[in-house]
Amino acid sequence: MVPEEGSSSVSSSPLQMFSMMSLSPGLGSPYPWLREMKSEERGLCLIHLLLACANHVAAGSVENANIGLEYISHLATPNGDTMQRIAAYFTEALADRMLKGWPGLHKALNSTKINFVAEEINAQKLFFEFCPFLKLSYVITNQAILEAMEGEKVVHIIDLHSFESAQWISLIQALSSRPEGPPHLRITGVHEQKEVLDQMAHRLNEEAEKLDIPFQFNPIVSRLEDLDVESLRVKTGEAVAISSVLQLHSLLAFDDEMVRSKIPRAVHLQRVLHMNPHTLSEFLEKDAMNTCASSPDSALSSPMPTAISSKMVSFLNALRGLSPKLLVVTEQESNHNGISLMDRIVEALTFYAALFDCLESTAPIASIERQKIEKMLYGQEIKNIIACEGLDRKKRHERLDKWIPRLELAGFGKVPLSYHVMLQARRLLQSYNYDGYKVKEENGCFIICWQDQPLFSVSAWRFRRYS
């Protein structure tokens, strides 16, 4: 089948093509014209095929989902353009979800798989290097700490994911130049790998000694969900600041059983009319939701904004019990915690399309570093969001409008981030020539964007005394 002359690939309806494929298991290979598409047309076709295939996965239609994955595999590749790369990781996640329907087969295929923790940590460090999001989070966090700790003589910082020493080296340098002199500084670092904390301790002790700052590093080897807050050893008279970068959402896995009530809702979808978006994320935002209306689980509600598990309640209460002068929270600005699989897939497509898109602006298409970030970081997150459920689904990202009431209910009061903090963030973007990135203020919090797509939020809090 060849499109009529003068017709666009949208009007020729890749969805109609997919329906024909689904009804014809023996077709074997995709229509030749699919391979001859321009990159943008192929991207739009891949989105339609992905979402139609995801509907089949959500509906439990294995045969149709299998046919869809076969056709997508002819167009998707982790070494192609941005949309081809995204499609490769989404199809892998959908296939993994299908395989979990046969636990024996799934376990057999994964029985010899080795998890290389060092590679995952390396991918996180590459993400820090090639994308400004963590750098911005650290700059904002540090400046907020400096402002909150002005005049304090004993400062205790608790880092709930202590893996990048550059953040605290920068803070140590800033504290050393305070007009009133540096405080006695203690940093407690939490990480599940002892080697990471050992490296952190070495670098921070070295820097503090060089600048003649009284300093102590307290390492705690633990996962966040297993952390005993008592082990943080906060002492009387210490001014406490807590930094949580992309960590708190993992605790939401423990409320999975609490939020099983599936509340129907009306899903209103917008028809795609445009073919010339400025960025891939805009392209997805305008088109991606076009095919999910028929999903049987698309009417299910995501968890209520204020629904908190006992794990989250107890953890936030424990943090509040430390009476922190400051708690700075960085989280992904997307809702990947919906009950509906289709809702999660649509949200993830938009979010990760922007992440893949911005990575293309800083890393060459064939670079090993880019492939590692996409495979070990983005790919694993996508698989967790789509293929996992229950306690196994840790990547339960939620937007700021859900974190605000959750933290307020836990007894924290919002601390508006200052204009000077914003200036520091914008200077960082300028100094590294990060074009296309933006930091916006929203109700005293900061939203970090690629183009106009919000990707991460940073908010500051302090404990609030109950009256």
Side-chain angles (χ1 to χ4, degrees), residues 296-312:
D297 69 354
S298 65
L300 301 179
S301 170
S302 61
M304 297 298 287
T306 56
I308 318 175
S309 70
S310 58
K311 188 75 172 179
M312 181 67 80

Side-chain angles (χ1 to χ4, degrees), residues 336-403:
H336 299 142
N337 194 26
I339 296 172
S340 159
L341 173 64
M342 286 306 300
D343 284 350
R344 298 205 306 265
I345 289 172
V346 170
E347 285 274 341
L349 271 171
T350 301
F351 182 82
Y352 286 98
L355 281 182
F356 274 81
D357 198 25
C358 68
L359 186 57
E360 185 170 352
S361 71
T362 55
I365 191 167
S367 74
I368 298 297
E369 293 82 3
R370 179 177 174 181
Q371 292 174 0
K372 285 182 177 179
I373 294 170
E374 290 175 345
K375 180 176 179 60
M376 298 301 299
L377 196 62
Y378 298 172
Q380 291 304 307
E381 290 182 0
I382 290 167
K383 184 179 290 186
N384 190 264
I385 290 166
I386 293 173
C388 297
E389 295 295 349
L391 290 176
D392 291 334
R393 182 157 59 86
K394 301 292 187 184
K395 302 303 176 183
R396 294 172 176 266
H397 310 144
E398 293 193 343
R399 292 195 179 93
L400 183 61
D401 61 7
K402 289 189 178 181
W403 284 108

Side-chain angles (χ1 to χ4, degrees), residues 42 94 109 138 193 204 286 300:
R42 181 177 59 235
L94 288 168
L109 288 173
Y138 295 160
Q193 296 298 317
L204 296 187
K286 289 180 178 179
L300 301 179

Side-chain angles (χ1 to χ4, degrees), residues 163-293:
F163 96 101
E164 181 50 65
S165 58
Q167 176 182 11
W168 305 124
I169 287 175
S170 175
L171 183 69
I172 289 171
Q173 292 169 347
L175 288 171
S176 71
S177 60
R178 285 200 322 183
E180 68 270 35
H184 185 288
L185 178 64
R186 193 148 69 97
I187 295 179
T188 295
V190 180
H191 199 280
E192 55 189 283
Q193 296 298 317
K194 182 178 182 298
E195 295 79 7
V196 172
L197 294 173
D198 288 343
Q199 292 174 15
M200 175 78 74
H202 174 73
R203 293 202 61 193
L204 296 187
N205 279 310
E206 191 176 56
E207 188 68 23
E209 186 176 343
K210 184 171 69 176
L211 295 172
D212 195 25
I213 290 182
F215 176 74
Q216 180 185 0
F217 185 77
N218 177 35
I220 296 180
V221 180
S222 174
R223 296 183 302 176
L224 190 65
E225 59 262 37
D226 300 325
L227 178 64
D228 177 8
V229 175
E230 293 294 324
S231 67
L232 300 176
R233 292 187 285 179
V234 172
K235 300 174 183 176
T236 304
E238 290 182 331
V240 176
I242 303 170
S243 170
S244 174
V245 179
L246 311 182
Q247 294 304 299
L248 288 183
H249 66 260
S250 64
L251 298 180
L252 293 171
F254 294 89
D255 71 0
D256 191 61
E257 296 304 318
M258 290 183 61
V259 197
R260 286 291 184 180
S261 55
K262 300 177 178 180
I263 308 169
R265 64 173 178 167
V267 181
H268 301 285
L269 302 173
Q270 182 180 345
R271 186 69 187 167
V272 178
L273 299 174
H274 303 290
M275 271 291 289
N276 296 307
H278 296 294
T279 68
L280 179 58
S281 57
E282 180 185 343
F283 171 43
L284 277 166
E285 185 179 359
K286 289 180 178 179
D287 184 74
M289 295 186 68
N290 207 29
T291 61
C292 70

